[in-house]
Amino acid sequence: MKSVITIDGPSGAGKGTIARLLAKRLGYGYLDTGALYRAVAWKAREMKIDPEDESSLAKLLKDVSISFIGERISVDGMDVSSEIRTAEIGELSSRISAIPVVRQGLFEIQRDMCLKGKVVIEGRDTGTVIFPESENKFYLDAGVEERAGRRYEELKLKDLCITLEATVEDIKKRDTRDSTRKTSPLTRTGDMIYIDSTGLSIEEVVEKVMDHLKK
Ligand code: DC
């Protein structure tokens, strides 16, 4: 399957930036699957659902309508593009993403969104679970300090109280949770091209991906 390019990797590895640029260069669509988990987390918080309450989350997944217009994301008709980009929703989305009913509900949504055309999809299990049949799978990584530094630069624009130390701790906690959960943990498999972006510019990483695609 050549119409779907998957990019997996830990928080702050630059998947979003790279996937977006790659999609633009190739004329593909782009799906940020983390935004879907964040949207569900946002809705669960709005509904005051306990993140451990599986049956309420299952009902939420059945009823909710999530849509993208370009890169903006709406939940039940409300644009939540900026509301989902906080440290609190990041943490909550990591917690609910460990719950199997949430992953099952979002599985269908992700497949449906991508099978309509050519897409670059990025997340934690896009090459292992969502599109294991893809022929172009990448795993994007970077050192934890660099990843935390990038996240910190994004978050401090919105949250003046955030510190770099707290962001490093948060990234480490999320790395552990995302890669040790029972359902679809973040995993690097042998059929993925591994790219370590530590010390590389965005353009250099995109070039590396393009070189592999040309091969
Ligand atoms: O990439 P992000 O920080 O926006 O993702 C938010 C959380 O969603 C992340 O901590 C784990 C979860 N997630 C996931 O489990 N599987 C995906 N494919 C994407 C995100």
Side-chain angles (χ1 to χ4, degrees):
M1 181 194 225
K2 292 201 162 60
S3 59
V4 175
I5 297 170
T6 67
I7 305 183
D8 289 310
S11 267
K15 302 183 298 289
T17 308
I18 301 304
R20 202 176 291 119
L21 283 172
L22 192 63
K24 208 167 168 191
R25 277 228 199 155
L26 297 169
Y28 277 36
Y30 159 58
L31 180 60
D32 167 6
T33 64
L36 295 173
Y37 287 89
R38 286 170 181 265
V40 172
W42 178 85
K43 185 72 185 179
R45 199 194 54 172
E46 280 289 294
M47 295 174 72
K48 303 202 174 15
I49 293 175
D50 183 309
E52 317 295 328
D53 179 353
E54 290 202 29
S55 63
S56 298
L57 285 170
K59 180 157 178 2
L60 183 164
L61 260 300
K62 204 156 70 59
D63 297 341
V64 76
S65 158
I66 305 177
S67 55
F68 284 95
I69 300 171
E71 289 192 21
R72 302 206 68 84
I73 183 164
S74 292
V75 177
D76 294 331
M78 178 171 168
D79 187 328
V80 293
S81 313
S82 83
E83 283 82 351
I84 62 169
R85 300 288 164 199
T86 64
E88 186 199 352
I89 295 292
E91 166 66 16
L92 190 56
S93 60
S94 174
R95 283 177 69 191
I96 61 143
S97 71
I99 297 177
V101 291
V102 173
R103 303 207 75 83
Q104 278 153 22
L106 287 179
F107 175 86
E108 293 297 333
I109 293 177
Q110 291 170 74
R111 295 263 326 170
D112 286 353
M113 283 180 169
C114 291
L115 288 174
K116 290 179 191 135
K118 296 179 170 183
V119 178
V120 181
I121 176 173
E122 55 100 348
R124 305 293 191 289
D125 62 348
T126 65
T128 48
V129 176
I130 311 299
F131 284 101
E133 72 271 40
S134 166
E135 288 168 38
N136 290 308
K137 303 185 193 182
F138 294 87
Y139 188 97
L140 193 58
D141 205 356
V144 69
E145 300 290 335
E146 182 151 333
R147 290 190 286 118
R150 292 174 189 167
R151 254 305 126 80
Y152 172 68
E153 292 303 319
E154 282 169 26
L155 292 173
K156 78 173 184 193
L157 300 174
K158 286 186 209 132
D159 180 355
L160 299 177
C161 298
I162 198 103
T163 63
L164 179 59
E165 292 70 30
T167 313
V168 171
E169 284 318 304
D170 179 53
I171 289 265
K172 284 184 181 166
K173 203 160 81 184
R174 280 173 62 186
D175 280 357
T176 307
R177 194 187 291 128
D178 294 346
S179 55
T180 58
R181 65 177 175 233
K182 285 205 185 80
T183 314
S184 318
L186 169 65
T187 320
R188 177 184 155 200
T189 52
D191 57 353
M192 293 176 181
I193 306 291
Y194 180 78
I195 298 178
D196 182 348
S197 71
T198 311
L200 297 182
S201 69
I202 292 168
E203 200 44 45
E204 285 169 328
V205 179
V206 174
E207 279 312 319
K208 273 184 185 273
V209 175
M210 290 296 288
D211 285 349
H212 282 290
L213 292 175
K214 282 179 202 147
K215 283 180 203 157

